[in-house]
């Protein structure tokens, strides 16, 4: 990350209190050093891609992930998503299986569309990882360096300044972020994580139809998940 943080303008303004804080200065130096001395994902230009595609005042839904994927060519800056042409990872396959069952969409059509999830982001789905960078082949390697504090601030700001958003929290790591959400003015949907280790408790949670029902109830446009 350069000294001048390259992030979409509305987010840069919304998060202006973070840039000068000591934790963020240390995080920035850590991340710069990692990109210089190790293989790190996603590509630097994609660190803040979730914000680029989904400006602050356009957010309607937040899906929270943990780390970016740590394999080659996978991470694209959107949680659970992968770059064009990359095979769907198991968690994303399970997300599509649940979406298929929940919204009566053919799994084959979802899989054919691919895993970039850019069309979700452009409709107002903020696909946010709790940690925005990771070392190659080393899950969790950039946890505890300041990213969590930064993404807590993101969630807090959305909760405070926006109304009737949907926050989708999959797994215990994401659920912990729920402490920063005002549940009297937003919908929080929680379930097990879609990874193969917990998918049996993820399937049947119907997050996609619940999201669209809530948006419709509050005179908002539902998400076209396909």
């Amino acid at each position: 990350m350069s000294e001048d943080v390259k992030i979409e303008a509305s987010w840069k303004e919304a998060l202006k209190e973070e840039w000068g804080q000591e934790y963020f200065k240390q995080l920035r130096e850590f991340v710069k050093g990692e990109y210089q001395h190790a293989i790190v994902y996603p590509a630097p230009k994609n660190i803040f891609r979730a914000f680029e595609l989904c400006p602050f005042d356009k957010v309607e839904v937040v899906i929270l992930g943990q780390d970016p994927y740590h394999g080659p060519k996978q991470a694209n800056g959107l949680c659970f998503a992968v770059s064009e042409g990359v095979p769907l990872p198991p968690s994303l396959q399970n997300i599509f299986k649940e979406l298929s069952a929940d919204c009566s969409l053919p799994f084959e059509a979802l899989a054919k569309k691919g895993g970039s999830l850019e069309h979700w982001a452009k409709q107002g789905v903020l696909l946010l990882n709790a940690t925005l960078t990771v070392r190659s082949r080393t899950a969790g390697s950039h946890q505890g360096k300041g990213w969590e504090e930064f993404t807590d601030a993101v969630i807090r700001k959305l909760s405070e300044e926006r109304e009737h958003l949907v926050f989708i929290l999959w797994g215990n790591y994401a659920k912990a972020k729920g402490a920063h959400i005002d549940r009297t003015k937003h919908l929080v949907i929680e379930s097990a994580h879609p990874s193969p280790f917990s998918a049996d408790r993820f399937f049947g949670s119907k997050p996609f139809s619940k999201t669209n029902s809530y948006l419709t109830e509050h005179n908002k446009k539902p998400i076209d998940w396909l």
Side-chain angles (χ1 to χ4, degrees):
M1 290 188 291
S2 66
E3 292 304 312
D4 180 33
V5 178
K6 299 296 192 296
I7 191 170
E8 191 274 335
S10 67
W11 281 107
K12 191 161 189 177
E13 173 63 22
L15 299 170
K16 61 186 177 184
E17 295 173 6
E18 303 307 306
W19 313 129
Q21 292 198 35
E22 189 60 32
Y23 89 85
F24 195 83
K25 293 177 183 177
Q26 293 177 8
L27 171 63
R28 183 165 51 201
E29 290 307 308
F30 167 76
V31 171
K32 283 169 64 177
E34 284 286 281
Y35 275 101
Q36 288 169 2
H37 300 113
I39 298 173
V40 176
Y41 302 121
K45 67 179 182 179
N46 287 334
I47 294 175
F48 294 113
R49 185 161 173 259
F51 302 92
E52 198 68 40
L53 293 175
C54 194
F56 182 79
D57 60 344
K58 302 296 185 186
V59 176
E60 300 295 348
V61 181
V62 180
I63 297 180
L64 193 65
Q66 189 165 338
D67 280 351
Y69 295 119
H70 53 83
K73 299 182 180 179
Q74 289 184 307
N76 69 0
L78 307 179
C79 76
F80 295 107
V82 289
S83 301
E84 290 288 349
V86 175
L88 302 181
S91 288
L92 187 53
Q93 288 187 43
N94 288 337
I95 289 168
F96 282 177
K97 286 176 185 176
E98 175 61 17
L99 174 56
S100 173
D102 185 14
C103 297
S104 300
L105 297 171
F107 177 83
E108 295 76 12
L110 292 165
K112 185 176 181 180
K113 183 100 177 190
S116 80
L117 304 187
E118 188 172 311
H119 60 299
W120 292 7
K122 288 181 176 179
Q123 294 179 77
V125 182
L126 182 67
L127 293 157
L128 180 67
N129 276 311
T131 303
L132 299 189
T133 54
V134 70
R135 266 197 186 208
S136 173
R137 310 286 188 189
T138 316
S141 50
H142 286 188
Q143 291 176 9
K145 304 297 184 182
W147 278 131
E148 293 90 343
E149 196 168 343
F150 175 74
T151 51
D152 282 353
V154 170
I155 292 169
R156 241 183 348 259
K157 199 74 174 177
L158 285 167
S159 177
E160 291 169 0
E161 298 196 6
R162 299 290 310 283
E163 288 189 346
H164 307 312
L165 302 184
V166 181
F167 292 85
I168 300 176
L169 311 180
W170 290 328
N172 292 334
Y173 196 89
K175 289 177 187 177
K177 295 278 194 186
H180 305 289
I181 302 167
D182 182 349
R183 297 173 189 238
T184 67
K185 57 190 281 202
H186 304 290
L187 176 64
V188 178
I189 300 172
E190 298 178 323
S191 76
H193 194 277
S195 86
F197 301 106
S198 52
D200 58 326
R201 291 176 287 114
F202 168 72
F203 292 136
S205 58
K206 300 185 182 299
F208 306 100
S209 60
K210 289 176 182 176
T211 292
N212 279 350
S213 293
Y214 182 83
L215 293 176
T216 302
E217 285 168 16
H218 292 91
N219 301 311
K220 295 185 173 191
K221 188 176 180 180
I223 305 299
D224 179 359
W225 299 109
L226 179 58

